[in-house]
Amino acid sequence: MEHSASTLEPLLAFLAYSSSTLESNFYKIPGSAVVARYVKSSHQNDPGRTILELILVVFAVRTLLQSRTRADRSGKNFIKFSEKEIDELVDEWTPEPLAPPLSDWEQRDLASVQVISGPNGPKPKILSTGKTVTNLASFNFAGLAGNEHIKERAVDILRKYGLGSCGPPGFYGTIDVHIDLERDIAEFLGTEASILYSQGFSTISSVIPAFCKRGDIIVADRSVNFAIQKGIQISRSTVRWFDHNDLKSLEDVLQSVDKERKKRKAPLTRRFIITEGIFERDGEMVDLPKLIELKLKHKYRLIFDESISFGTVGRTGRGLTELYNVPASQIDILVGSVANGLCSAGGFCAGSSIVVDHQ
């Protein structure tokens, strides 16, 4: 008996030393005291729970360390097919269609779409019947599509320049006629300069993120068109919305933004109001003089989209600035569409030389 005790004495001493060393190293870990208190109280109140938690820990470690079928490169967990079986499976496989077949109603609806013969004016002819109808769904507001004088000038330009600019504006895609049109638009609207974009939709959606960045504040109408929404989204600015075409709601939002900034003692950031002259969704017209008044009162910059109103509103088609007799210089960034008012393609942004040069 004494011999057995003397044999186990070095082993017990080693276990005690190891336990003491492990305990001292464990308590050096941040948060270890909290874990130790939790384990002691849990074991004292419910020893069975300690055993269950230990089993769960062992199971979790085993699950993390065990090999996965995806990582098994030996292929022992996969079914092996012969070349003949693979060919048979390939021959039997039928891919699903990319889209379900059209229903009878959808086919009739698609077939009922009218095709216009000739220019898309207010009184076009239908290709299938030859009848002249009234078109209320066209953006040819000024009736310039199909104009004989414009067609003759277009033919002359095609003979001189060919078709297409063969490059983006910043890379050998700017032609003298583009510069002439930018100058003519700026003179027509009464701004210092203007810049052309090759697509109407991408004009406003590119202009907004060119000036509005993360941390800036945008106050926008809830019913702005989809292109403006995409531009606001790309800008990653902080957005506050006001009720559709409600300038009292706009003033309330502007005041709340200022109160919030003063409460947080935040620094001043760039702030923009974004809205449309005539709304694409419902045709409502904004009160531009009142909008300018609020912009100046609360010290905001105005991004004004006249894609619908340019070429259609005002005595000579200059838009809401002409209709309300407001100088275009009062608008920081004025955006319009060449595709709507001028029946061509693209868009423009007009304003000060600084605004245009930045773009």
Side-chain angles (χ1 to χ4, degrees):
M1 189 74 177
E2 294 178 359
H3 177 70
S4 301
S6 61
T7 306
L8 292 174
E9 187 175 344
L11 178 61
L12 294 175
F14 175 75
L15 292 175
Y17 173 75
S18 300
S19 176
S20 176
T21 304
L22 183 64
E23 183 179 1
S24 62
N25 291 332
F26 172 75
Y27 279 109
K28 291 179 180 178
I29 301 173
S32 57
V34 178
V35 176
R37 285 199 303 270
Y38 168 76
V39 173
K40 288 180 181 178
S41 61
S42 174
H43 180 72
Q44 183 178 2
N45 297 332
D46 188 2
R49 179 179 174 183
T50 304
I51 298 174
L52 178 61
E53 290 179 345
L54 182 61
I55 294 173
L56 289 174
V57 170
V58 172
F59 177 76
V61 173
R62 179 181 176 275
T63 303
L64 291 172
L65 295 179
Q66 71 179 357
S67 62
R68 294 284 192 271
T69 303
R70 292 179 180 176
D72 183 13
R73 299 184 179 181
S74 64
K76 63 181 181 180
N77 293 314
F78 294 98
I79 300 174
K80 294 183 179 180
F81 294 99
S82 64
E83 291 295 329
K84 182 179 179 182
E85 289 174 326
I86 294 174
D87 293 337
E88 289 176 352
L89 288 173
V90 171
D91 293 337
E92 293 174 0
W93 179 69
T94 303
E96 294 183 2
L98 292 176
L102 296 178
S103 64
D104 293 338
W105 182 87
E106 289 172 331
Q107 289 178 354
R108 289 194 300 270
D109 185 54
L110 187 61
S112 66
V113 176
Q114 300 291 350
V115 179
I116 293 174
S117 174
N120 189 3
K123 295 283 187 179
K125 286 187 177 181
I126 301 299
L127 180 63
S128 58
T129 62
K131 291 183 179 180
T132 300
V133 296
T134 301
N135 187 359
L136 301 178
S138 171
F139 284 93
N140 183 21
F141 303 131
L144 298 178
N147 181 279
E148 292 299 325
H149 175 70
I150 294 178
K151 286 197 292 185
E152 291 175 2
R153 291 290 296 127
V155 170
D156 294 339
I157 294 296
L158 280 173
R159 288 199 177 107
K160 180 178 180 181
Y161 292 92
L163 182 63
S165 59
C166 302
F171 189 73
Y172 300 107
T174 299
I175 306 174
D176 55 358
V177 287
H178 296 152
I179 302 299
D180 294 341
L181 179 57
E182 290 175 347
R183 185 183 62 251
D184 292 343
I185 289 175
E187 291 178 355
F188 183 69
L189 293 174
T191 60
E192 292 182 7
S194 73
I195 182 172
L196 289 175
Y197 284 79
S198 58
Q199 187 190 32
F201 182 93
S202 64
T203 303
I204 186 68
S205 60
S206 301
V207 169
I208 293 173
F211 295 96
C212 307
K213 306 296 182 183
R214 188 192 297 272
D216 296 340
I217 295 175
I218 292 176
V219 179
D221 191 291
R222 292 186 185 276
S223 295
V224 290
N225 59 56
F226 185 62
I228 294 179
Q229 294 177 29
K230 296 306 293 183
I232 292 174
Q233 180 183 0
I234 296 170
S235 73
R236 294 187 173 185
S237 301
T238 302
V239 186
R240 297 289 185 269
W241 303 96
F242 65 92
D243 295 338
H244 175 45
N245 204 20
D246 186 347
L247 298 187
K248 177 63 173 64
S249 173
L250 170 61
E251 187 169 18
D252 292 340
V253 173
L254 297 179
Q255 291 173 351
S256 67
V257 169
D258 197 44
K259 288 180 181 178
E260 182 180 345
R261 183 192 65 82
K262 291 179 180 178
K263 184 178 180 180
R264 294 189 293 109
K265 296 181 179 180
L268 278 173
T269 60
R270 291 177 297 187
R271 303 181 294 182
F272 299 86
I273 298 173
I274 301 179
T275 188
E276 297 178 72
I278 294 180
F279 288 90
E280 183 179 337
R281 292 191 175 186
D282 55 15
E284 287 195 16
M285 184 183 299
V286 73
D287 185 350
L288 184 57
K290 179 64 175 177
L291 186 63
I292 297 292
E293 178 186 335
L294 292 176
K295 168 189 102 75
L296 296 174
K297 178 181 177 182
H298 295 275
K299 297 179 175 60
Y300 275 69
R301 294 181 174 92
L302 176 60
I303 300 178
F304 197 54
D305 186 4
E306 290 218 72
S307 294
I308 303 296
S309 51
F310 174 73
T312 61
V313 174
R315 186 176 61 86
T316 58
R318 286 175 168 83
L320 264 67
T321 55
E322 184 177 44
L323 180 68
Y324 286 109
N325 196 27
V326 174
S329 58
Q330 294 285 323
I331 300 174
D332 301 279
I333 302 172
L334 195 155
V335 179
S337 173
V338 181
N340 295 342
L342 301 182
C343 296
S344 181
F348 66 87
C349 176
S352 66
S353 299
I354 297 175
V355 167
V356 171
D357 291 343
H358 175 69
Q359 295 173 76

